[in-house]
Coordinates of all heavy atoms in Angstrom, one line a residue:
M1 N -12.9 -11.8 177.8 CA -12.5 -12.6 176.7 C -11.1 -13.0 176.8 O -10.2 -12.1 177.1 CB -12.8 -11.8 175.4 CG -12.5 -12.6 174.1 SD -13.1 -11.8 172.6 CE -14.7 -12.4 172.6
A2 N -10.7 -14.2 176.5 CA -9.4 -14.7 176.7 C -8.5 -14.2 175.6 O -8.9 -13.8 174.5 CB -9.4 -16.2 176.7
H3 N -7.2 -14.1 175.9 CA -6.2 -13.8 174.9 C -5.9 -15.0 174.0 O -6.2 -16.1 174.4 CB -4.9 -13.3 175.5 CG -4.9 -11.9 176.0 ND1 -5.6 -11.5 177.1 CD2 -4.3 -10.8 175.6 CE1 -5.5 -10.2 177.3 NE2 -4.6 -9.8 176.4
V4 N -5.4 -14.7 172.8 CA -5.1 -15.8 171.8 C -3.7 -15.6 171.3 O -3.2 -14.5 171.2 CB -6.1 -15.9 170.7 CG1 -7.5 -16.3 171.1 CG2 -6.2 -14.6 169.9
I5 N -3.1 -16.7 170.9 CA -1.7 -16.6 170.3 C -1.8 -17.0 168.8 O -2.3 -18.0 168.4 CB -0.8 -17.6 171.0 CG1 -0.7 -17.2 172.5 CG2 0.6 -17.5 170.4 CD1 0.1 -18.2 173.4
S6 N -1.3 -16.1 168.0 CA -1.3 -16.3 166.5 C -0.1 -17.1 166.0 O 0.8 -17.5 166.8 CB -1.3 -15.0 165.8 OG -0.1 -14.3 165.9
D7 N -0.1 -17.4 164.7 CA 1.0 -18.2 164.1 C 2.3 -17.4 164.1 O 3.3 -18.0 163.8 CB 0.6 -18.6 162.7 CG -0.5 -19.6 162.6 OD1 -0.7 -20.3 163.6 OD2 -1.2 -19.7 161.6
E8 N 2.3 -16.2 164.5 CA 3.6 -15.4 164.6 C 4.4 -15.9 165.8 O 5.6 -15.5 165.9 CB 3.4 -13.9 164.6 CG 3.0 -13.3 163.3 CD 1.5 -13.5 162.9 OE1 0.7 -13.5 163.8 OE2 1.3 -13.7 161.7
C9 N 3.9 -16.7 166.6 CA 4.5 -17.2 167.8 C 5.8 -18.0 167.4 O 5.7 -18.9 166.5 CB 3.6 -18.1 168.6 SG 4.4 -19.0 170.0
V10 N 6.9 -17.7 168.1 CA 8.2 -18.4 167.8 C 8.5 -19.4 168.9 O 9.6 -19.9 169.0 CB 9.3 -17.4 167.6 CG1 9.1 -16.6 166.3 CG2 9.5 -16.5 168.8
S11 N 7.5 -19.7 169.8 CA 7.7 -20.7 170.9 C 8.9 -20.4 171.8 O 9.6 -21.3 172.2 CB 7.8 -22.1 170.3 OG 6.6 -22.4 169.6
C12 N 9.0 -19.1 172.1 CA 10.2 -18.8 173.0 C 9.8 -19.1 174.5 O 10.7 -19.2 175.3 CB 10.5 -17.3 172.9 SG 9.3 -16.1 173.5
G13 N 8.5 -19.1 174.8 CA 8.1 -19.5 176.2 C 8.0 -18.3 177.2 O 7.7 -18.5 178.3
A14 N 8.3 -17.1 176.7 CA 8.3 -15.9 177.6 C 6.9 -15.7 178.1 O 6.8 -15.3 179.3 CB 8.8 -14.7 176.8
C15 N 5.9 -15.9 177.3 CA 4.5 -15.7 177.8 C 4.1 -16.7 178.9 O 3.5 -16.3 179.9 CB 3.6 -15.9 176.6 SG 3.6 -17.4 175.8
A16 N 4.5 -18.0 178.7 CA 4.2 -19.0 179.7 C 4.8 -18.7 181.1 O 4.1 -18.9 182.1 CB 4.6 -20.4 179.2
D17 N 6.0 -18.1 181.1 CA 6.6 -17.8 182.3 C 5.9 -16.7 183.1 O 6.0 -16.6 184.3 CB 8.1 -17.3 182.0 CG 9.0 -18.5 181.5 OD1 8.6 -19.7 181.8 OD2 10.0 -18.2 181.0
Q18 N 5.2 -15.8 182.4 CA 4.5 -14.7 183.0 C 3.1 -14.9 183.3 O 2.5 -14.1 184.1 CB 4.6 -13.5 182.0 CG 6.0 -12.9 181.8 CD 6.6 -12.5 183.1 OE1 6.0 -11.8 183.9 NE2 7.8 -13.0 183.4
C19 N 2.5 -16.0 182.9 CA 1.1 -16.3 183.1 C 0.8 -16.7 184.6 O 1.3 -17.7 185.0 CB 0.6 -17.4 182.2 SG -1.2 -17.7 182.4
P20 N 0.0 -15.9 185.3 CA -0.2 -16.1 186.7 C -1.1 -17.3 187.0 O -1.2 -17.9 188.1 CB -0.9 -14.8 187.2 CG -1.5 -14.3 186.0 CD -0.6 -14.6 184.9
T21 N -1.9 -17.8 185.9 CA -2.8 -18.9 186.1 C -2.3 -20.2 185.5 O -3.0 -21.2 185.5 CB -4.2 -18.6 185.6 OG1 -4.1 -18.3 184.2 CG2 -4.8 -17.3 186.3
G22 N -1.2 -20.1 184.8 CA -0.7 -21.3 184.1 C -1.5 -21.7 182.9 O -1.6 -22.9 182.5
A23 N -2.2 -20.8 182.3 CA -3.1 -21.0 181.2 C -2.4 -21.3 179.8 O -3.0 -21.6 178.9 CB -4.1 -19.9 181.0
I24 N -1.1 -21.0 179.8 CA -0.3 -21.1 178.5 C 0.5 -22.4 178.5 O 1.3 -22.6 179.5 CB 0.5 -19.9 178.3 CG1 -0.4 -18.6 178.3 CG2 1.3 -20.0 177.0 CD1 0.4 -17.3 178.3
S25 N 0.4 -23.1 177.4 CA 1.2 -24.4 177.3 C 1.7 -24.5 175.9 O 1.1 -23.9 174.9 CB 0.5 -25.6 177.7 OG -0.7 -25.7 176.9
E26 N 2.7 -25.3 175.7 CA 3.3 -25.5 174.3 C 2.3 -26.4 173.5 O 2.0 -27.5 174.0 CB 4.7 -26.1 174.4 CG 5.4 -26.1 173.1 CD 6.9 -26.4 173.2 OE1 7.3 -26.7 174.3 OE2 7.6 -26.3 172.2
G27 N 1.9 -25.9 172.4 CA 1.1 -26.7 171.5 C 1.9 -27.4 170.4 O 3.1 -27.4 170.4
A28 N 1.2 -27.9 169.4 CA 1.8 -28.6 168.3 C 2.7 -27.7 167.5 O 3.8 -28.1 167.1 CB 0.8 -29.3 167.4
S29 N 2.2 -26.5 167.1 CA 3.0 -25.6 166.3 C 3.5 -24.4 167.0 O 4.4 -23.7 166.5 CB 2.2 -25.3 165.0 OG 1.0 -24.6 165.4
H30 N 2.8 -24.0 168.1 CA 3.2 -22.8 168.9 C 2.5 -22.9 170.2 O 1.7 -23.8 170.4 CB 2.9 -21.5 168.1 CG 1.4 -21.3 167.7 ND1 0.4 -21.0 168.6 CD2 0.8 -21.4 166.5 CE1 -0.7 -20.9 168.0 NE2 -0.5 -21.1 166.7
Y31 N 2.8 -22.0 171.1 CA 2.1 -22.0 172.4 C 0.7 -21.7 172.2 O 0.2 -21.0 171.3 CB 2.8 -20.9 173.3 CG 4.0 -21.5 174.0 CD1 5.2 -21.7 173.3 CD2 4.0 -21.8 175.3 CE1 6.3 -22.2 173.9 CE2 5.1 -22.4 176.0 CZ 6.3 -22.5 175.3 OH 7.3 -23.1 175.9
E32 N -0.1 -22.1 173.2 CA -1.6 -22.0 173.2 C -2.1 -21.5 174.5 O -1.5 -21.8 175.5 CB -2.3 -23.3 172.8 CG -1.9 -23.8 171.4 CD -2.4 -25.2 171.1 OE1 -3.0 -25.8 172.0 OE2 -2.4 -25.5 169.9
I33 N -3.2 -20.8 174.5 CA -3.8 -20.3 175.8 C -5.1 -21.0 176.0 O -6.0 -21.1 175.2 CB -4.1 -18.8 175.7 CG1 -2.7 -18.0 175.5 CG2 -4.8 -18.3 177.0 CD1 -2.9 -16.5 175.3
D34 N -5.3 -21.6 177.2 CA -6.5 -22.2 177.6 C -7.5 -21.1 178.0 O -7.3 -20.5 179.0 CB -6.2 -23.1 178.8 CG -7.5 -23.8 179.4 OD1 -8.6 -23.5 178.9 OD2 -7.3 -24.7 180.2
A35 N -8.5 -20.9 177.2 CA -9.5 -19.9 177.3 C -10.2 -20.0 178.7 O -10.6 -18.9 179.3 CB -10.5 -19.8 176.2
D36 N -10.4 -21.2 179.2 CA -11.1 -21.3 180.4 C -10.3 -20.9 181.6 O -10.8 -20.5 182.7 CB -11.6 -22.8 180.6 CG -12.6 -23.2 179.6 OD1 -13.4 -22.3 179.2 OD2 -12.7 -24.4 179.3
A37 N -8.9 -21.0 181.5 CA -8.1 -20.6 182.6 C -7.6 -19.2 182.5 O -7.1 -18.6 183.5 CB -6.9 -21.6 182.6
C38 N -7.6 -18.6 181.3 CA -7.1 -17.2 181.1 C -8.0 -16.2 181.9 O -9.3 -16.3 181.8 CB -7.1 -16.9 179.6 SG -6.6 -15.2 179.2
V39 N -7.4 -15.3 182.6 CA -8.1 -14.3 183.3 C -8.0 -12.9 182.7 O -8.4 -11.9 183.2 CB -7.7 -14.2 184.8 CG1 -8.0 -15.4 185.6 CG2 -6.2 -13.9 184.9
D40 N -7.5 -12.9 181.4 CA -7.4 -11.7 180.6 C -6.6 -10.6 181.2 O -7.0 -9.4 181.1 CB -8.8 -11.2 180.2 CG -8.9 -10.3 179.1 OD1 -8.0 -10.5 178.2 OD2 -9.8 -9.4 179.0
C41 N -5.5 -10.9 181.9 CA -4.7 -9.9 182.6 C -3.8 -9.2 181.6 O -3.3 -8.1 181.9 CB -3.9 -10.5 183.7 SG -2.6 -11.7 183.3
G42 N -3.4 -9.9 180.5 CA -2.5 -9.2 179.5 C -1.0 -9.4 179.8 O -0.2 -8.9 179.1
A43 N -0.6 -10.0 180.9 CA 0.8 -10.2 181.3 C 1.6 -10.9 180.2 O 2.7 -10.5 179.9 CB 0.9 -10.9 182.6
C44 N 0.9 -11.8 179.5 CA 1.6 -12.6 178.4 C 1.9 -11.7 177.2 O 3.0 -11.7 176.7 CB 0.7 -13.8 178.0 SG -0.9 -13.4 177.5
A45 N 0.9 -10.9 176.8 CA 1.0 -10.0 175.7 C 2.2 -9.0 175.8 O 2.9 -8.7 174.9 CB -0.3 -9.3 175.4
D46 N 2.3 -8.6 177.1 CA 3.4 -7.6 177.3 C 4.8 -8.2 177.2 O 5.8 -7.5 176.9 CB 3.3 -7.0 178.8 CG 2.1 -6.2 179.0 OD1 1.5 -5.7 177.9 OD2 1.6 -6.0 180.1
Q47 N 4.9 -9.5 177.3 CA 6.2 -10.2 177.2 C 6.5 -10.8 175.8 O 7.6 -11.2 175.6 CB 6.3 -11.4 178.2 CG 6.3 -10.9 179.7 CD 7.5 -10.0 180.0 OE1 8.6 -10.4 179.6 NE2 7.2 -8.8 180.5
C48 N 5.5 -10.8 175.0 CA 5.7 -11.5 173.7 C 6.6 -10.6 172.7 O 6.3 -9.5 172.4 CB 4.4 -11.7 173.0 SG 4.6 -12.6 171.4
P49 N 7.8 -11.1 172.3 CA 8.7 -10.4 171.5 C 8.2 -10.2 170.1 O 8.7 -9.3 169.4 CB 10.0 -11.2 171.5 CG 9.6 -12.6 171.8 CD 8.4 -12.5 172.7
T50 N 7.3 -11.0 169.6 CA 6.8 -10.9 168.2 C 5.4 -10.3 168.1 O 4.9 -10.2 167.0 CB 6.8 -12.3 167.6 OG1 5.9 -13.1 168.2 CG2 8.2 -12.9 167.5
G51 N 4.8 -10.0 169.2 CA 3.5 -9.4 169.2 C 2.4 -10.4 168.8 O 1.4 -10.0 168.2
A52 N 2.6 -11.7 169.0 CA 1.7 -12.7 168.6 C 0.5 -12.9 169.5 O -0.4 -13.7 169.1 CB 2.5 -14.1 168.5
I53 N 0.4 -12.2 170.6 CA -0.7 -12.4 171.5 C -1.6 -11.2 171.5 O -1.2 -10.1 171.6 CB -0.1 -12.7 172.9 CG1 0.8 -13.9 173.0 CG2 -1.3 -12.9 173.9 CD1 1.5 -14.1 174.3
S54 N -2.9 -11.5 171.4 CA -3.9 -10.4 171.3 C -5.1 -10.8 172.0 O -5.3 -12.0 172.3 CB -4.2 -10.0 169.9 OG -4.7 -11.1 169.2
Q55 N -6.0 -9.9 172.3 CA -7.3 -10.2 172.9 C -8.2 -11.0 171.9 O -8.2 -10.5 170.8 CB -8.0 -9.0 173.4 CG -8.4 -9.1 174.9 CD -8.9 -7.8 175.4 OE1 -9.0 -6.8 174.7 NE2 -9.4 -7.9 176.6
G56 N -8.8 -12.1 172.3 CA -9.5 -12.9 171.4 C -10.9 -12.5 171.1 O -11.5 -11.5 171.2

């Protein structure tokens, strides 16, 4: 199951820099994860300073 980014995201970009598949991009209000590209590695969640990323 892919990870998801909640509204607590402050759009710092730390997660996108760590994603090995490039599944994270900037959305309208915060960063978003493409569920089809996410390999559920958790690298993004480890880098999030606000804890906005969790398993979906």
Side-chain angles (χ1 to χ4, degrees):
M1 182 171 274
H3 279 72
V4 293
I5 301 177
S6 71
D7 290 338
E8 283 80 34
C9 174
V10 294
S11 297
C12 69
C15 58
D17 292 341
Q18 293 300 311
C19 182
T21 62
I24 303 173
S25 61
E26 193 167 2
S29 60
H30 58 73
Y31 276 75
E32 299 175 348
I33 298 175
D34 178 351
D36 293 330
C38 179
V39 295
D40 199 31
C41 69
C44 57
D46 293 340
Q47 293 300 311
C48 183
T50 62
I53 304 174
S54 61
Q55 234 175 352

